[in-house]
Amino acid sequence: MDYVLQTNGLCKDYRNFKALKDLTMHVPKGSIYGLVGKNGAGKTTLIRIICGLQHPTAGSFTLYHASYGEKELSLARRRMGAVVETPALYGNMTAEENLRLQNRVLGLPDDSNVPKLLHLVGLENTGRKKVGHFSLGMRQRLGIAAALCGSPDFLVLDEPINGLDPQGIIEVRELLLKLNREYQVTILISSHILDELSRLATFYGFIDSGRMIREISAAEFERSGRKCMHATVSDVKILARVLDAKGVEYKVISDTSADIFGKLNITQLVLALEQEHCELLEVQEKDQSLESYFLALVGGDRNE
Amino acid sequence: MNKLFSASLVRWRKNWFFWLTLFGLLFVSVLSSWNYSLSAAGMAQAGLVRTLDNYFFSMAPYMGALFAAFISLFLSAEFADGTVRNKLIVGHTRSHIYLTDYLVCFGACLAYEGMWFLGSAAGLLWIGPFSMTGREVVLYLLAAVGFAASFASLFVLVNLFSGNKAMTVILSLAVWVGLALLAGAVYDRLAEPEWTGGMYYYQGTLQEVAPTPNPLYLSGTVRTLCSWFLEFLPTGQAQLMRNAEIDSPVRLILLSILFTAIVLWAGLQLFQHKDIK
């Protein structure tokens, strides 16, 4: 697999705090890579290092096969665009002026892309309004437009849907999907809104306490996060014995409940439990969400 | 670096504070020349000849405050609003970004000095010509360019210390005030006479006091070091320029180059290792 970005044992220390600990990740070309983690897990630090805003304490990374510290990395960075945390814009300029300025920074010969980009992010009618008077959602969208000025192959977005209203979230989602599908832009996106991320991402990286705890493709996640039955019984040990006998995969949740994976004939299960003097009290079908998968991985409280 | 320069020039062109202060400076400078011409005329009536030399550079000590205000407001947007990130992300090197910021700010300082000199040149009409030679005037003007370069390097460096716009402005002005006070103190100490004494009026009679050595007078190596230190500080240079007291404009220019080089190097080192939020 061809990777746009690979990190190898990245570490970042802030005085006594270790923000990243030996973090290794792989962003496949053409993917939408969702970076999932709690507050303070190290997502933004990782993105800042990738974007050249901060230096790693140890480890390295390669961007389009250019390694950290090599001269070629500057050239590779010209293929990327990013919005890190809050959009970086000049508040005393209009949306159009901001994009024209970013074109200058990129050294583009003309500003013919500006109307198209403003239309793409739905800001074509902002006229002479200064960015300082924009709502957070408008600023987010303009930030994405600025990141797209150089027609990047790799887009890095840190919490891009923060502060957006539901309509704005849908628009940004459609925009990102369009960029990925029609223009083959690889996207690295971190977001707290896991439900929204699950609608976009084709790969996930789960990060906790500065460590990458799992990387998984959306297809693998779908397979591993298959539907299951949540069964409540009078004695989970008997249920486990019955399921073992039937060769069915399960996971014990508590003394009285378990998640059962795969197809199962309920009548046969009830009869088998009846023979062992165990009652089936309740059965619910449930999907494993990205959120529950993440919580199962990090084993923490719901604080996202 | 050309791309960064082009982008910064666009921002500079759109900066209302710059244009407001630039033309404000022209107005103040012309007004000041007219005011000095009245003063010179008054002095002439009392038999004291004052030439343009005594007035032309009188605004020098205040230029630092203007440079501090403009540079801190212009550059703090880069860090406070985070727009420097847009440059780093697309592969511009930190040294190029820093040097571009410096050059643009130095350019703005030169523009301010141009307006200051333009306004002061009105004194040619009202006060008369310089008593300095043409070469001396040119050297003084170059010395002014030198302290603009020093001030620009200093305030670009100060900009790195805070990510808050208001704090950066306050910090820059505080640095200017601090250096102006330091230069003033060194200047005053160097201006102490070697001997004290003379005539004074006491109980209706004039009394003569035998001259005694002034304990505050600096001599020898200490005096030389203090003189050089005063000439090294941009605020000291401005102080000397105001009173047309520069011993060696060439030395002053060389010290400006040294100051600028040291501060630029320090700023580049700091920026290279700075974590950008």
Side-chain angles (χ1 to χ4, degrees), chain A residues 157-173:
Chain A
L157 303 170
D158 187 17
E159 308 285 355
I161 51 176
N162 268 8
L164 295 185
D165 56 22
Q167 181 64 30
I169 290 174
I170 293 167
E171 285 170 9
V172 169
R173 184 206 307 155

Side-chain angles (χ1 to χ4, degrees), chain B residues 126-140:
Chain B
W126 298 325
I127 301 171
F130 286 100
S131 59
M132 295 180 188
T133 63
R135 182 178 176 276
E136 282 174 325
V137 172
V138 170
L139 284 173
Y140 261 70

Side-chain angles (χ1 to χ4, degrees), chain A residues 231-262:
Chain A
T232 306
V233 291
S234 55
D235 188 341
V236 83
K237 286 178 187 167
I238 296 172
L239 175 67
R241 203 160 54 229
V242 168
L243 293 172
D244 282 340
K246 289 182 177 294
V248 175
E249 197 183 333
Y250 64 91
K251 184 181 177 186
V252 173
I253 305 296
S254 69
D255 288 346
T256 57
S257 66
D259 284 341
I260 305 166
F261 302 97

Side-chain angles (χ1 to χ4, degrees), chain A residues 53 55 86 88 90 104-105, chain B residues 6 78 85-86 92 94 272:
Chain A
L53 307 180
H55 303 289
T86 52
Y90 294 102
R104 290 270 193 289
V105 169
Chain B
S6 162
E78 297 273 304
R85 298 195 301 241
N86 292 344
H92 289 295
R94 290 182 180 229
Q272 286 289 354

Side-chain angles (χ1 to χ4, degrees), chain A residues 214-232:
Chain A
R214 186 162 300 171
E215 288 186 289
I216 185 171
S217 72
E220 282 176 284
F221 171 73
E222 287 296 323
R223 282 198 295 275
S224 68
R226 59 199 181 274
K227 287 183 178 179
C228 69
M229 280 192 300
H230 182 75
T232 306

Side-chain angles (χ1 to χ4, degrees), chain A residues 12 14 48 51-55 74 77-78 80-82 84 86-90 93 97 101-102 104-107, chain B residues 3-4 6-7 10-11 14 77-78 81-83 85-94 272-277:
Chain A
K12 178 66 182 176
Y14 297 112
R48 282 181 185 150
C51 292
L53 307 180
Q54 298 191 354
H55 303 289
S74 285
R77 283 221 168 90
R78 286 179 198 168
M80 72 182 278
V84 184
T86 52
L89 303 161
Y90 294 102
M93 293 185 184
E97 286 169 344
L101 199 65
Q102 187 60 17
R104 290 270 193 289
V105 169
L106 289 159
Chain B
K3 298 169 191 172
L4 291 170
S6 162
V10 170
R11 274 192 64 220
K14 288 179 181 293
E78 297 273 304
D81 299 338
T83 47
R85 298 195 301 241
N86 292 344
K87 298 172 181 175
L88 287 166
I89 287 165
V90 297
H92 289 295
T93 64
R94 290 182 180 229
Q272 286 289 354
H273 299 100
K274 186 179 169 66
D275 282 343
I276 309 290
K277 297 281 180 187

Side-chain angles (χ1 to χ4, degrees), chain B residues 16-260:
Chain B
W16 63 267
F17 179 83
F18 171 73
W19 294 110
L20 191 75
T21 48
L22 188 72
F23 288 103
L25 180 65
L26 178 67
F27 176 74
V28 170
S29 186
V30 170
L31 199 68
S32 166
S33 287
W34 180 71
N35 198 30
Y36 285 133
S37 72
L38 297 181
S39 167
M43 293 284 218
Q45 280 178 355
L48 290 167
V49 178
R50 308 289 279 177
T51 61
L52 189 58
D53 307 19
N54 304 107
Y55 305 110
F56 192 83
F57 300 102
S58 60
M59 285 178 68
Y62 313 109
M63 296 305 289
L66 191 58
F67 298 162
F70 169 75
I71 293 173
S72 57
L73 282 170
F74 184 73
L75 287 188
S76 61
E78 297 273 304
F79 291 93
D81 299 338
T83 47
V84 69
R85 298 195 301 241
N86 292 344
K87 298 172 181 175
L88 287 166
I89 287 165
V90 297
H92 289 295
T93 64
R94 290 182 180 229
S95 52
H96 282 179
I97 292 170
Y98 193 82
L99 288 174
T100 305
D101 283 347
Y102 169 70
L103 288 174
V104 170
C105 289
F106 178 42
C109 292
L110 289 182
Y112 280 129
E113 288 198 337
M115 275 304 187
W116 161 33
F117 295 143
L118 192 66
S120 295
L124 286 167
L125 303 172
W126 298 325
I127 301 171
F130 286 100
S131 59
M132 295 180 188
T133 63
R135 182 178 176 276
E136 282 174 325
V137 172
V138 170
L139 284 173
Y140 261 70
L141 294 180
L142 287 175
V145 170
F147 84 67
S150 302
F151 270 127
S153 66
L154 183 67
F155 296 130
V156 172
L157 170 71
V158 170
N159 184 62
L160 295 178
F161 291 108
S162 173
N164 180 286
K165 201 178 273 188
M167 184 57 78
T168 304
V169 175
I170 291 168
L171 200 61
S172 298
L173 289 171
V175 166
W176 173 74
V177 169
L179 287 181
L181 290 174
L182 179 64
V186 175
Y187 179 86
D188 287 347
R189 196 64 196 272
L190 286 168
E192 284 287 338
E194 190 173 359
W195 298 89
T196 56
M199 306 287 288
Y200 73 98
Y201 191 75
Y202 182 67
Q203 290 183 341
T205 56
L206 273 174
Q207 298 199 1
E208 189 176 356
V209 176
T212 53
N214 182 358
L216 295 174
Y217 179 76
L218 298 173
S219 59
T221 313
V222 178
R223 185 171 189 84
T224 309
L225 286 174
C226 282
S227 299
W228 280 59
F229 181 62
L230 187 67
E231 291 181 0
F232 181 68
L233 290 177
T235 45
Q237 296 181 354
Q239 179 80 34
L240 293 170
M241 183 171 284
R242 174 195 192 168
N243 301 323
E245 292 173 321
I246 300 172
D247 284 340
S248 166
V250 175
R251 189 171 70 222
L252 211 73
I253 293 163
L254 291 175
L255 286 170
S256 287
I257 292 169
L258 180 67
F259 184 95
T260 305

